[in-house]
Amino acid sequence: MQTHEIRERFTQHFVKAGHTEVPSASLILDDPTLLFVNAGMVPFKPYFLGQQTPPFPNGTATSIQKCVRTLDIEEVGITTRHNTFFQMAGNFSFGQYFKEGAITHAWGLLTDPVEKGGLGLDPERLWVTCYLDDDEAADIWHEVVGIPKERIQRLGMEDNYWSMGVPGPCGPCSEIYYDRGPEYGAEGGPIADDNRYMEIWNLVFMENERGEGTGKGDFEILGPLPKKNIDTGLGIERVACILQGVDNVYETDLLRPVIDVAETLTGARYGAEHEDDIRFRVIADHSRTGMMLILDGVTPGNEGRGYILRRLLRRIIRSARLLGAQGPTMEKFMSTIMDTMTPSFPEIEKNRERILRVAVTEERAFLRTLESGTELFENAASEVRSAHGTRISGDRAFALHDTYGFPIDLTVEMAREAGLEVDIEGFDALMAEQRARAKADNKAKKHGHQDLSVFREFIDEHPTEFVGYEELQATSRVLGLVRDGQRISEARPGEQVDVIVDVSPMYAEAGGQLGDRGSFVLDGVSLPVEDVQKIGKKLWIHKTRIPEGAGLEVGATVESHVDEAWRHAARQAHSATHLIHGALRQVLGPTAVQAGSMNKPGYLRFDFNYTEQLTPEQLQQIEEITNSVVDADHQVNTTEMPLEEAKAMGAMALFGENYGDLVRVVEIAGPFSLELCGGTHVAHSSQIGPVAVLGESSVGSGVRRIEAYSGLDSFRYLSKERALAEGLASSLKTPSEDLPERISQLAAKLKAAEKQIADLHRQQLSAQLGGLVEKAQQVGEFSVIAEQLPAGTAAGDLRTAALDLRGRCGEKAAVIVLGAKDEKGKAPFVVAATPAAVDKGVRSGDLVKVLGEYVSGRGGGKPDMAQGSGSAPEGLAEGFRAIIEDLRSRS
């Protein structure tokens, strides 16, 4: 049975039982506690936490959620059951059925015959575990379902009690296992061997509330929840493994084709050697996870989600290289995994070109990193051999791994080829420190999750009626006041409060558009609204500071006013953002996908996935197309329609955004700009006014940003640019239209003059070098040249001079030490040694460190040449003397 069929059978089983089908949320949710969605229940957290009332007609739901867990990336492939990406199929009950319902639903799907819509598993091979004192669940399994008591086992808090890891809902759970047979391990059930007995489904009975604590079992149970809930999770990949009769999750219809391609590209064979098998599994697992992250809008970067994606893609490249691949591999891996996953996720097909472009670009960059890393490794290995050592230090290996992205196992392999070893213990210790810091940071973020339950009553019973699309003022009744997370009945002068009203004309921040500014007017006194935020997509929170001589009470009636100038300029910027997006796709093609935006009165920035810097000509095209749409005075149409209808029209949605069944579509100039958007917009494109593109820049690997002004801000910017051009034209006594050529001429002259000066300086320096050889002093068995060169000598000139002097010293055991005060007041320095001096034990890299201590600097290099820089040039003379004393002590 193919994986997509397993998914369909699961969904239909619960839909027929009255559950609402909920599409998978994006892997990226606006949740400060999570980097990625890591469990099927995550999108339902507001309902389990009591922050919102479930919107499902029967109080039940089912979903197959995309999940990513990356805590133990290094362990991937070592076991054959765990993936970084997996599909968690779940059914959820919010105060409806409880233990018996969850158990019988699960048992029915697993054991019903295939011809009746079930999965057809042999009931005699199913085992279950229950929490130690959960007699109720154990009795249901035995008396209602009919499982013999010997196949029902009890486990403690660590295994059969669930919580989110922070205060909130919790409860015992019951897990279902499948016996894969004696060839997989010992008899005796899951307690005896969890490899033979594979866990496939976890049924969580949420009935209690937990307090603070650490670990899986070290917390207090505060008491029962108001309602008993059900949260279950079935591992689609594990069920596929069983139904397809394969040994592990890497051999199912989703991942095995990637392994087959890897065999072709590398020449290695899966199943031949344990270490190679791990690399094959890494390639298969990470290809899928990387592809799904790119699909949901993640691009490689150096922090957060982008760092995780970059790490996954680089592990694919590294693993392929270690298996024997010589050239690029990413395109074939990604193409294969997209083919296997598209039946379950049809949206992959529309994004195929973009996914390939992001992955292949990252591969090219990393292959360059491997080249530079190889050079750095060779330097490290050379230093170890020169010092007659056999081991590359842990901190050097860690620097190669952490700073330069050079994989540790590649470092180990290359060291082995060079007859060296790596201090793995030291490396592991540094990695453990890094993981501990990351874990502590993650824990801090978890406990920083804001409690929004204070707003639940308003979300459920008094959602805000937003009238701001049509009106800029409204009569509103104050429903609630919240200060420092607590509800209050009255706000006093000087206090910052969150004000909740029944009707509001003010736009709450969303979709990249900042919230409106405005005021509440009460008894002739204006209370400024400094920001408007949204909670649960239904409730508007007005950030208000009570002025002197005023107050505000729950139940008061106020006049709500939007700052009209703010709204006008904000609408201009938001509509301009849509036009920039349309122009961008027209110039760059459909693979330039939005990665985020921000617009406020008069200004916008637009982030998009693209790997190349835009040319001035492309920017000019984008600006010209945008303004041509402005000039054409198109009507801006907004229409509400079902989500599926909007998608069928071609309306674009933002990655990571969860849309309701009914969405708002904003259309400008027909198909040129058609987007799902809840923001405020102008009525006609001409109302945007001029749009001035400021430029574009990189904001991360594969993500570019365009910034622009709109309306009066655009006019003011262009006016300043004109004044600047006129000023330059006047100073240079040339017409404005000739400025580019005139400035280019001056720049060329300046560059030629600077080159002349540099050449003259080098000639003067070269003329001095002969005299320096004659001034060399004999220090024991070494001929030493230690000289501070004229002020303004740059580091590059110092190095050239040192190489020249070393060459002039011929067969002598000579050491050259040079320093200077450069144009920035810094102190570059260099040490060079002839081959004869190196043979006598001189190490230039050690000597620059001595000199660095006297000039507040540092340096390094090879035995025959090293250099550095410091901030205290006045210490050069003393540093020279220290080196001379060091050399004298060797004689």
Side-chain angles (χ1 to χ4, degrees):
M1 188 181 296
Q2 297 291 290
T3 300
H4 67 272
E5 185 180 348
I6 297 171
R7 287 168 49 95
E8 182 63 20
R9 284 173 179 267
F10 182 95
T11 300
Q12 290 308 311
H13 176 81
F14 285 102
V15 167
K16 288 176 183 176
H19 294 63
T20 299
E21 181 182 357
V22 179
S24 174
S26 167
L27 287 166
I28 309 165
L29 288 184
D30 185 17
D31 185 330
T33 70
L34 295 173
L35 204 58
F36 303 111
V37 171
N38 62 359
M41 59 77 62
V42 168
F44 303 96
K45 276 173 62 175
Y47 315 131
F48 289 125
L49 289 169
Q51 295 171 352
Q52 297 179 34
T53 298
F56 315 116
N58 296 326
T60 60
T62 185
S63 73
I64 299 179
Q65 176 61 45
K66 299 179 288 187
C67 301
V68 167
R69 293 180 185 170
T70 58
L71 287 178
D72 299 308
I73 290 177
E74 301 287 350
E75 302 301 314
V76 169
I78 296 176
T79 70
T80 56
R81 289 179 295 161
H82 295 88
N83 299 132
T84 52
F85 172 89
F86 57 94
Q87 302 171 71
M88 184 62 74
N91 57 290
F92 308 91
S93 169
F94 306 98
Q96 303 304 310
Y97 61 79
F98 197 48
K99 292 183 182 178
E100 183 170 339
I103 289 170
T104 54
H105 275 311
W107 186 258
L109 175 62
L110 292 175
T111 61
D112 280 354
V114 171
E115 56 270 19
K116 292 186 178 181
L119 297 177
L121 294 181
D122 181 358
E124 298 300 317
R125 302 184 76 165
L126 295 176
W127 291 62
V128 297
T129 61
C130 299
Y131 181 56
L132 283 175
D133 60 4
D134 191 357
D135 296 332
E136 180 186 1
D139 289 344
I140 293 169
W141 280 117
H142 177 59
E143 297 170 7
V144 178
V145 173
I147 292 184
K149 288 186 177 181
E150 58 268 23
R151 297 213 311 270
I152 302 172
Q153 298 184 328
R154 304 292 187 106
L155 292 169
M157 292 281 284
E158 292 290 322
D159 298 288
N160 275 81
Y161 202 94
W162 180 92
S163 80
M164 292 195 302
V166 294
C170 64
C173 60
S174 183
E175 295 173 329
I176 305 173
Y177 292 79
Y178 182 82
D179 180 4
R180 299 199 290 167
E183 64 270 28
Y184 287 95
E187 293 186 9
I191 290 178
D193 192 327
D194 65 358
N195 182 53
R196 169 175 171 172
Y197 301 89
M198 179 187 286
E199 178 196 342
I200 56 175
W201 206 335
N202 186 15
L203 315 178
V204 178
F205 312 128
M206 288 190 194
E207 55 185 336
N208 297 316
E209 182 179 0
R210 63 156 281 185
E212 295 283 355
T214 59
K216 290 187 176 181
D218 182 19
F219 52 81
E220 180 184 3
I221 304 297
L222 301 179
L225 292 171
K227 292 182 178 180
K228 294 181 178 181
N229 305 313
I230 288 295
D231 158 31
T232 86
L234 173 139
I236 291 288
E237 283 79 8
R238 293 189 181 187
V239 173
C241 177
I242 293 168
L243 293 179
Q244 293 173 20
V246 296
D247 185 63
N248 58 68
V249 294
Y250 294 95
E251 297 176 10
T252 65
D253 60 317
L254 298 185
L255 296 182
R256 179 64 204 223
V258 182
I259 292 176
D260 293 340
V261 169
E263 286 184 316
T264 300
L265 293 175
T266 65
R269 288 290 168 264
Y270 183 66
E273 185 181 333
H274 177 66
E275 288 298 320
D276 281 356
D277 285 354
I278 293 173
R279 291 163 185 153
F280 278 116
R281 293 174 195 139
V282 166
I283 291 170
D285 174 271
H286 291 3
S287 293
R288 179 171 63 170
T289 306
M291 184 273 293
M292 295 301 292
L293 290 178
I294 298 171
L295 175 67
D296 276 6
V298 183
T299 54
N302 291 325
E303 56 186 42
R305 298 182 179 104
Y307 174 75
I308 295 295
L309 174 58
R310 169 163 286 169
R311 190 175 173 201
L312 292 171
L313 295 180
R314 291 187 170 191
R315 279 172 58 83
I316 296 169
I317 300 162
R318 173 206 62 198
S319 297
R321 184 185 179 98
L322 292 176
L323 285 170
Q326 298 298 315
T329 57
M330 190 63 70
E331 183 174 359
K332 291 185 178 178
F333 291 152
M334 284 293 165
S335 294
T336 303
I337 198 64
M338 284 191 283
D339 290 342
T340 68
M341 295 293 288
T342 296
S344 297
F345 301 93
E347 63 270 26
I348 291 172
E349 191 58 41
K350 292 191 301 183
N351 291 276
R352 178 178 287 266
E353 184 181 347
R354 178 179 61 84
I355 292 168
L356 281 176
R357 178 168 48 78
V358 172
V360 169
T361 298
E362 181 64 18
E363 178 179 41
R364 289 174 185 153
F366 185 49
L367 289 175
R368 290 194 296 270
T369 295
L370 285 177
E371 290 178 12
S372 59
T374 300
E375 183 179 346
L376 292 166
F377 171 83
E378 292 295 345
N379 290 340
S382 176
E383 290 182 22
V384 170
R385 284 193 292 262
S386 296
H388 307 294
T390 59
R391 171 179 280 202
I392 294 174
S393 66
D395 58 349
R396 195 68 177 267
F398 182 76
L400 279 165
H401 168 84
D402 192 56
T403 306
Y404 301 102
F406 205 62
I408 181 59
D409 45 6
L410 198 53
T411 300
V412 170
E413 181 185 13
M414 292 173 64
R416 189 182 303 119
E417 292 172 354
L420 303 172
E421 59 182 15
V422 178
D423 177 15
I424 292 297
E425 294 79 8
F427 174 85
D428 288 343
L430 291 168
M431 284 297 294
E433 289 178 16
Q434 186 184 67
R435 289 194 189 102
R437 287 193 297 270
K439 188 175 181 180
D441 181 58
N442 186 51
K443 183 178 178 183
K445 286 181 181 177
K446 277 190 177 182
H447 288 282
H449 185 56
Q450 185 182 5
D451 181 8
L452 302 178
S453 58
V454 68
F455 297 109
R456 177 178 176 175
E457 176 190 335
F458 301 107
I459 295 172
D460 290 347
E461 300 178 16
H462 304 288
T464 305
E465 180 186 354
F466 176 60
V467 296
Y469 291 136
E470 300 83 21
E471 306 291 339
L472 294 181
Q473 63 183 59
T475 299
S476 310
R477 186 165 65 90
V478 177
L479 300 178
L481 298 170
V482 176
R483 184 188 65 220
D484 299 329
Q486 301 294 321
R487 291 178 62 173
I488 58 176
S489 60
E490 180 182 6
R492 298 174 180 174
E495 292 182 339
Q496 176 81 44
V497 293
D498 294 339
V499 181
I500 301 159
V501 296
D502 58 346
V503 177
S504 176
M506 300 183 213
Y507 181 78
E509 180 174 342
Q513 180 178 337
L514 297 189
D516 274 334
R517 302 298 183 263
S519 61
F520 293 130
V521 178
L522 176 65
D523 298 330
V525 179
S526 179
L527 286 60
V529 175
E530 300 167 349
D531 190 17
V532 187
Q533 294 292 320
K534 192 186 297 186
I535 293 180
K537 299 190 176 184
K538 295 182 178 181
L539 190 68
W540 271 230
I541 304 298
H542 304 77
K543 305 286 184 181
T544 308
R545 186 173 296 280
I546 308 300
E548 291 299 322
L552 191 62
E553 297 180 354
V554 173
T557 298
V558 298
E559 292 298 319
S560 302
H561 295 267
V562 175
D563 183 326
E564 292 189 28
W566 174 282
R567 171 66 75 83
H568 174 65
R571 292 191 307 172
Q572 287 179 309
H574 199 157
S575 297
T577 304
H578 283 224
L579 299 192
I580 288 282
H581 190 189
L584 190 101
R585 290 171 65 85
Q586 196 170 106
V587 172
L588 302 181
T591 60
V593 177
Q594 180 174 358
S597 67
M598 190 281 282
N599 47 78
K600 62 181 182 179
Y603 169 84
L604 66 94
R605 68 173 187 238
F606 185 87
D607 297 346
F608 57 101
N609 294 325
Y610 204 67
T611 55
E612 299 172 10
Q613 181 178 358
L614 271 60
T615 66
E617 291 75 23
Q618 287 173 320
L619 280 178
Q620 186 177 352
Q621 275 184 282
I622 291 166
E623 185 177 62
E624 187 170 330
I625 292 170
T626 300
N627 282 293
S628 69
V629 178
V630 170
D631 184 62
D633 192 26
H634 293 282
Q635 183 171 330
V636 177
N637 299 306
T638 58
T639 311
E640 284 196 345
M641 63 180 68
L643 176 60
E644 292 308 313
E645 184 180 333
K647 288 182 176 179
M649 286 177 58
M652 288 184 290
L654 185 65
F655 285 119
E657 184 70 26
N658 288 328
Y659 297 95
D661 293 332
L662 199 65
V663 295
R664 188 167 181 262
V665 178
V666 177
E667 174 262 314
I668 310 174
F672 174 79
S673 177
L674 192 65
E675 299 190 36
L676 304 185
C677 180
T680 62
H681 290 273
V682 298
H684 291 265
S685 62
S686 60
Q687 295 172 346
I688 295 171
V691 177
V693 173
L694 306 180
E696 69 92 40
S697 58
S698 170
V699 291
S701 178
V703 181
R704 311 294 301 180
R705 169 174 293 171
I706 284 183
E707 297 178 87
Y709 286 134
S710 60
L712 274 176
D713 286 88
S714 175
F715 172 78
R716 294 185 185 107
Y717 167 75
L718 294 171
S719 180
K720 287 180 181 177
E721 291 290 294
R722 182 182 63 191
L724 176 62
E726 289 175 348
L728 282 171
S730 177
S731 297
L732 298 176
K733 295 181 173 54
T734 189
S736 296
E737 60 269 21
D738 294 338
L739 273 178
E741 184 180 352
R742 178 70 172 134
I743 292 172
S744 178
Q745 290 171 353
L746 289 174
K749 286 182 179 179
L750 179 60
K751 187 175 181 180
E754 288 175 343
K755 184 177 183 302
Q756 251 184 333
I757 292 170
D759 289 343
L760 181 60
H761 181 72
R762 277 192 289 272
Q763 290 169 15
Q764 292 173 337
L765 187 61
S766 180
Q768 295 175 5
L769 297 184
L772 292 180
V773 174
E774 295 175 2
K775 289 171 59 178
Q777 56 181 310
Q778 196 66 30
V779 178
E781 55 186 337
F782 301 108
S783 177
V784 180
I785 299 171
E787 191 75 22
Q788 182 169 340
L789 298 185
T793 302
D797 291 336
L798 280 180
R799 182 181 178 89
T800 300
L803 290 171
D804 188 316
L805 289 170
R806 187 176 65 180
R808 297 188 190 206
C809 289
E811 303 293 327
K812 295 180 182 178
V815 178
I816 297 94
V817 186
L818 303 178
K821 180 179 180 180
D822 66 13
E823 293 179 346
K824 296 180 180 179
K826 300 292 185 182
F829 51 88
V830 62
V831 177
T834 62
V838 172
D839 289 343
K840 292 181 179 295
V842 170
R843 298 290 177 265
S844 297
D846 295 337
L847 294 180
V848 293
K849 292 174 183 176
V850 173
L851 183 49
E853 294 177 4
Y854 290 87
V855 294
S856 300
R858 55 191 301 178
K862 299 179 180 180
D864 62 342
M865 171 66 75
Q867 61 190 68
S869 180
S871 58
E874 62 274 11
L876 282 170
E878 193 64 30
F880 293 163
R881 282 192 287 271
I883 287 179
I884 289 171
E885 289 305 315
D886 181 284
L887 293 171
R888 181 173 285 117
S889 68
R890 300 167 185 259
S891 302

